Amino acid sequence: DCGSSRIVRVSTFFGYDHCMKYPFEPKSTSYIEPGQFWAIPLSNGSYASGVVVAKLTDLHDNKVSTSSFLAALIDWTGEQLPTEDSIREAEILKLGEAHLKAIQTTGGSILGKSSFSFLGDSPRTKTDDIVTMGYSVLKNLAEKKYVTNS
């Protein structure tokens, strides 16, 4: 039993169980998992949300990246921080490879974990058809969709 409602038991890629305490600021991809999400603060005071879709492995040496992962901006905005329940039904707006700084420079912390229909295998092999996104791409796209065009 992990105790607090903000601490949940998770299984890693290697099969180890451990308790994950939310929120946390990821320093590497070691503890990120598909379905984990973070808030993206918008200029109008509302929030969008990013989601960890999968860890990425290099095509040539098959090692899991320690700094980048497959991320998604989901079709959700709210006046409060995203929660597991509030974002569960959201769909993907943008998918691509992101650096951990995409989390660190926007919301800063993984807030929790939710289940999504679009989650698949993890880790996934990084291939040329996965677009690489800069640190601010998800935030800029969310600003355009939810602030500029609203």
Side-chain angles (χ1 to χ4, degrees):
D1 181 24
C2 292
S4 167
S5 63
R6 297 297 296 157
I7 303 174
V8 296
R9 182 167 297 285
V10 293
S11 297
T12 66
F13 172 66
F14 299 105
Y16 305 119
D17 279 349
H18 63 277
C19 293
M20 180 65 66
K21 182 178 180 182
Y22 295 104
F24 74 94
E25 183 178 334
K27 306 288 189 208
S28 77
T29 61
S30 296
Y31 293 107
I32 66 168
E33 296 184 345
Q36 290 177 331
F37 60 90
W38 69 97
I40 301 173
L42 302 177
S43 62
N44 65 358
S46 66
Y47 298 93
S49 182
V51 173
V52 175
V53 176
K55 292 186 181 186
L56 291 172
T57 59
D58 184 85
L59 182 62
H60 303 292
D61 66 12
N62 204 34
K63 291 183 181 176
V64 175
S65 173
T66 59
S67 60
S68 65
F69 61 100
L70 191 60
L73 173 66
I74 56 172
D75 192 6
W76 177 89
T77 187
E79 297 302 314
Q80 304 294 320
L81 292 171
T83 65
E84 177 183 341
D85 292 333
S86 69
I87 63 175
R88 182 174 286 128
E89 300 298 320
E91 296 296 326
I92 292 176
L93 289 176
K94 178 72 174 176
L95 179 70
E97 178 184 7
H99 191 279
L100 286 171
K101 288 186 179 181
I103 298 171
Q104 297 164 349
T105 60
T106 57
S109 297
I110 298 287
L111 299 176
K113 184 174 179 179
S114 192
S115 56
F116 297 93
S117 61
F118 55 76
L119 297 176
D121 295 333
S122 184
R124 292 189 191 171
T125 302
K126 180 182 172 189
T127 58
D128 290 339
D129 61 337
I130 296 177
V131 64
T132 301
M133 302 184 294
Y135 304 154
S136 300
V137 168
L138 297 179
K139 180 174 177 67
N140 292 341
L141 290 170
E143 284 282 343
K144 185 175 181 180
K145 178 168 178 65
Y146 298 118
V147 178
T148 308
N149 292 336
S150 59

